[in-house]
């Protein structure tokens, strides 16, 4: 698997997890299946399409149908064979190599499959409901703007999901005095930026630490 990124922290995270990381211009030559999941536009462009292998498959699982430049693909193609398989269109480029576009470049998990599983959507809806309740409580103290979901809401949704699925977790040991002094100091320094409570929640922290941050 190859990961392409614009965020250096996420690129490093992917590399440390064992994934191959490179620019899209290099990945285009090497890949067999391309899946965009960015939420941005023009992730796969004409210069990338021109370099892809014969039979490469293109799918978008991000947002809307702008991540893959479908207009450029249509303009480049000498032939288009719609519906050669369910939710699959074939584009023949100059030189004869073919690219297969799934779901017309739209959200492939919604257009060509059954959408998001309930086990994922229940967490999203829970976070939305708790965020609306938080807005109602705090509305008088909030200036107009865009706000991240507070850390305690993320933590509460996670706790509820773990309980519902029967998954147990440990409790943080906040008794550093039982440890050698240097080790205790090191643990306190590491935990302090997260402001962890004994139950692992993040009191006093505005936003929950995200992967790669």
């Amino acid at each position: 698997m190859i990961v392409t990124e614009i965020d250096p922290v996420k690129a490093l995270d992917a590399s440390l997890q064992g994934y191959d990381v490179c620019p899209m211009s290099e990945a285009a030559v090497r890949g067999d299946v391309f899946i965009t999941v960015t939420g941005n536009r023009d992730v796969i462009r004409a210069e990338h399409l021109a370099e892809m292998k014969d039979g490469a498959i293109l799918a978008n699982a991000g947002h809307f149908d702008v991540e893959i430049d479908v207009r450029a693909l249509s303009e480049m193609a000498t032939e288009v064979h719609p519906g050669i398989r369910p939710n699959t269109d074939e584009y023949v480029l100059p030189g004869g190599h073919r690219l297969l576009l799934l779901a017309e470049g739209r959200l492939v998990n919604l257009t060509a499959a059954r959408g998001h599983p309930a086990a994922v959507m229940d967490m999203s809806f829970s976070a939305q409901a708790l965020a609306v309740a938080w807005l109602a409580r705090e509305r008088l103290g909030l200036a107009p703007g865009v706000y991240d979901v507070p850390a305690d809401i993320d933590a509460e949704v996670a706790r509820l999901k773990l309980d519902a699925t029967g998954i147990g977790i440990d409790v943080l040991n906040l008794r550093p005095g039982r440890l050698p002094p240097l080790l205790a100091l090191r643990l306190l320094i590491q935990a302090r930026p997260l402001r962890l409570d004994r139950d692992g929640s993040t009191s006093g922290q505005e936003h929950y630490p995200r992967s790669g941050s």
Side-chain angles (χ1 to χ4, degrees), residues 93-204:
L93 302 189
H97 74 285
R98 301 156 297 167
L99 300 180
L100 304 176
L101 179 65
L102 304 186
E104 300 179 346
R106 304 180 189 278
L107 283 170
V108 68
N109 57 312
L110 300 181
T111 305
R114 298 182 178 180
H116 300 299
V120 172
M121 293 307 298
D122 62 355
M123 290 184 286
S124 177
F125 293 143
S126 297
Q128 292 173 34
L130 291 174
V132 169
W134 176 81
L135 286 171
R137 290 194 308 270
E138 304 294 332
R139 65 188 185 281
L140 297 180
L142 296 174
V146 178
Y147 292 86
D148 288 324
V149 175
D152 57 344
I153 291 179
D154 275 338
E156 178 64 14
V157 171
R159 279 193 290 267
L160 291 170
K161 186 65 175 181
L162 290 171
D163 289 344
T165 52
I167 298 174
I169 59 175
D170 288 318
V171 175
L172 182 65
N173 183 354
L174 290 180
R175 298 167 63 186
R178 300 177 57 193
L179 301 172
L182 288 178
L183 178 57
L185 178 61
R186 178 181 176 185
L187 293 176
L188 285 173
I189 291 172
Q190 290 176 334
R192 186 177 179 183
L194 298 180
R195 305 179 198 174
L196 295 175
D197 290 335
R198 186 169 182 272
D199 63 355
S201 61
T202 52
S203 66

Side-chain angles (χ1 to χ4, degrees), residues 33-162:
V33 179
F34 298 85
I35 303 175
T36 58
V37 289
T38 69
N40 295 320
R41 63 173 302 122
D42 300 332
V43 178
I44 295 180
R45 303 182 297 277
E47 62 265 32
H48 305 135
L49 298 168
E51 298 297 327
M52 290 181 180
K53 298 177 183 178
D54 180 35
I57 298 172
L58 303 166
N60 166 40
H63 293 283
F64 307 108
D65 56 350
V66 296
E67 300 204 19
I68 300 170
D69 193 344
V70 179
R71 177 178 295 181
L73 179 59
S74 299
E75 292 173 350
M76 295 168 63
T78 57
E79 298 177 42
V80 179
H81 304 140
I84 61 165
R85 291 185 180 180
N87 300 297
T88 306
D89 299 330
E90 181 184 72
Y91 291 78
V92 182
L93 302 189
H97 74 285
R98 301 156 297 167
L99 300 180
L100 304 176
L101 179 65
L102 304 186
E104 300 179 346
R106 304 180 189 278
L107 283 170
V108 68
N109 57 312
L110 300 181
T111 305
R114 298 182 178 180
H116 300 299
V120 172
M121 293 307 298
D122 62 355
M123 290 184 286
S124 177
F125 293 143
S126 297
Q128 292 173 34
L130 291 174
V132 169
W134 176 81
L135 286 171
R137 290 194 308 270
E138 304 294 332
R139 65 188 185 281
L140 297 180
L142 296 174
V146 178
Y147 292 86
D148 288 324
V149 175
D152 57 344
I153 291 179
D154 275 338
E156 178 64 14
V157 171
R159 279 193 290 267
L160 291 170
K161 186 65 175 181
L162 290 171

